[in-house]
Amino acid sequence: ATTLGASAAEQGRFFGTAVAAGKLGDSAYTTILNREFNQVTPENEMKIDATEPQRGQFSYGNADRIVQHARSQGMQVRGHTLAWHSQQPGWMQSLSGSTLRSAMLNHVTQVASHFRGQVTWWDVVNEAFADGSSGARRDSNLQRTGNDWIEAAFRAADAADPNAKLCYNDYNTDNWTAAKTQGVYRMVQDFKQRGVPIDCVGFQAHFTGGSNYPSNFRTTLSSFAALGVDVHITELDIRNAPSDAYRNTTNDCLAVPRCTGITVWGIRDSDSWRSGESPLLFNSSGGKKAAYDAVLAAL
Ligand code: XIL
């Protein structure tokens, strides 16, 4: 096939992108979006500060616009994200303890219920593990409500939208031997053993390229898949967009049957949160870069 999404679809996979609601009126942007991708992740519009800016007052306009666009184009939606230490509204940042736990669970329930039937996968919890050598949870207001906050969030999401696939998503979990990767692996293993509802694990893959490419990434993906979850590359971007690193990432996913899709974190370099690093598949004029050709050829 001649586009990323169509090539991925031939293998029962998705190839998606992060989308910003504010750009849906940019025809150069939507032309590429509609042509190339069969999955979208709202870049910011489903985060806690966007969907519940005041406690108990929910705001879905921008997220709904992205979902409507996606559905009109036959694209699947990844919801991002129900519980996270970052991009919390001020009211949530100031809560703690059982009050915060209840507010978090209410948020999960309300948002997952609003999008019930429209979101294929939810990043239920994002970035809950610490960097470095500990392999432990990241300290946060949510973590301080008790170590079971993650499974509580997954159970609430499952109750609100039983058909959605529920994912854990993180970064720096690509290298199989890293303590952080092992910490997440043990949590997923524990959840599967105890019947906590988890269906998938997302690997953000915000890479720096060059010799930093995680050469055992394929081992990581296959090891998690062997626990009985799907795995996804969820926020792919690579400093300076080297073709070899994009090709390797694509091949590593395709080598793992349960790696069912790849999402890049934006369309054009000018759309990227790392725009100074030109890390995406399309240049700022919307032209295909060498990395695009490498990915399409690998798919
Ligand atoms: C980023 C967005 O791209 C930016 O627009 C925003 O200012 C900050 O968040 N990990 C994640 C994403 O899970 O939600 C982040 O997205 C990038 C890192």
Side-chain angles (χ1 to χ4, degrees):
T2 59
T3 67
L4 302 169
S7 296
E10 285 177 355
Q11 316 164 32
R13 290 182 162 95
F14 62 84
F15 203 105
T17 179
V19 164
K23 292 178 180 167
L24 290 174
D26 173 347
S27 64
Y29 180 85
T30 53
T31 296
I32 303 172
L33 171 63
N34 296 348
R35 186 186 70 218
E36 296 287 343
F37 299 100
N38 63 353
Q39 181 271 330
V40 302
T41 305
E43 186 172 2
N44 289 298
E45 292 80 354
M46 289 187 182
K47 291 173 179 175
I48 312 172
D49 58 356
T51 51
E52 194 177 359
Q54 305 296 330
R55 189 173 179 186
Q57 293 180 18
F58 292 84
S59 165
Y60 297 116
N62 285 328
D64 284 343
R65 274 185 270 284
I66 293 175
V67 170
Q68 285 316 310
H69 185 93
R71 289 168 67 80
S72 75
Q73 295 288 324
M75 302 166 174
Q76 290 184 283
V77 178
R78 182 186 201 88
H80 176 79
T81 173
L82 295 171
W84 191 21
H85 69 276
S86 184
Q87 291 183 262
Q88 291 182 0
W91 66 264
M92 184 177 274
Q93 292 178 38
S94 68
L95 295 185
S96 63
S98 59
T99 315
L100 174 60
R101 174 69 70 98
S102 312
M104 179 274 284
L105 292 175
N106 181 58
H107 181 83
V108 171
T109 299
Q110 294 297 324
V111 177
S113 298
H114 176 79
F115 293 106
R116 180 166 45 226
Q118 310 203 326
V119 163
T120 307
W121 312 268
W122 266 113
D123 287 331
V124 178
V125 171
N126 196 33
E127 301 183 345
F129 278 73
D131 293 309
S133 59
S134 71
R137 299 285 182 83
R138 171 196 296 276
D139 179 54
S140 71
N141 61 344
L142 292 168
Q143 180 62 29
R144 290 192 291 272
T145 70
N147 206 51
D148 61 345
W149 74 276
I150 297 180
E151 63 189 85
F154 274 82
R155 291 189 197 281
D158 186 49
D161 188 354
N163 293 325
K165 302 282 188 202
L166 306 181
C167 309
Y168 177 78
N169 191 54
D170 213 330
Y171 67 94
N172 279 353
T173 47
D174 325 289
N175 180 347
W176 176 239
T177 64
K180 185 174 180 180
T181 308
Q182 292 296 310
V184 174
Y185 178 84
R186 284 191 297 272
M187 179 187 75
V188 175
Q189 184 177 49
D190 171 58
F191 281 13
K192 294 303 281 186
Q193 285 171 352
R194 290 191 296 111
V196 178
I198 185 169
D199 303 295
C200 34
V201 176
F203 298 82
Q204 291 184 11
H206 294 296
F207 290 150
T208 49
S211 57
N212 291 320
Y213 185 78
S215 59
N216 58 18
F217 189 25
R218 190 177 299 194
T219 300
T220 303
L221 295 172
S222 61
S223 299
F224 275 84
L227 293 174
V229 288
D230 287 339
V231 292
H232 305 129
I233 295 168
T234 52
E235 303 183 14
L236 179 62
D237 52 17
I238 313 179
R239 182 180 298 158
N240 300 322
S243 296
D244 57 347
Y246 265 106
R247 182 184 306 109
N248 289 337
T249 306
T250 305
N251 285 330
D252 284 346
C253 180
L254 297 188
V256 177
R258 291 198 77 154
C259 185
T260 57
I262 298 174
T263 307
V264 290
W265 205 241
I267 299 177
R268 303 161 301 192
D269 286 332
S270 51
D271 302 315
S272 173
W273 72 313
R274 304 167 72 185
S275 57
E277 302 179 17
S278 302
L280 294 175
L281 299 178
F282 294 87
N283 65 33
S284 297
S285 308
K288 297 170 181 172
K289 296 165 63 177
Y292 172 96
D293 296 327
V295 170
L296 184 63
L299 281 171

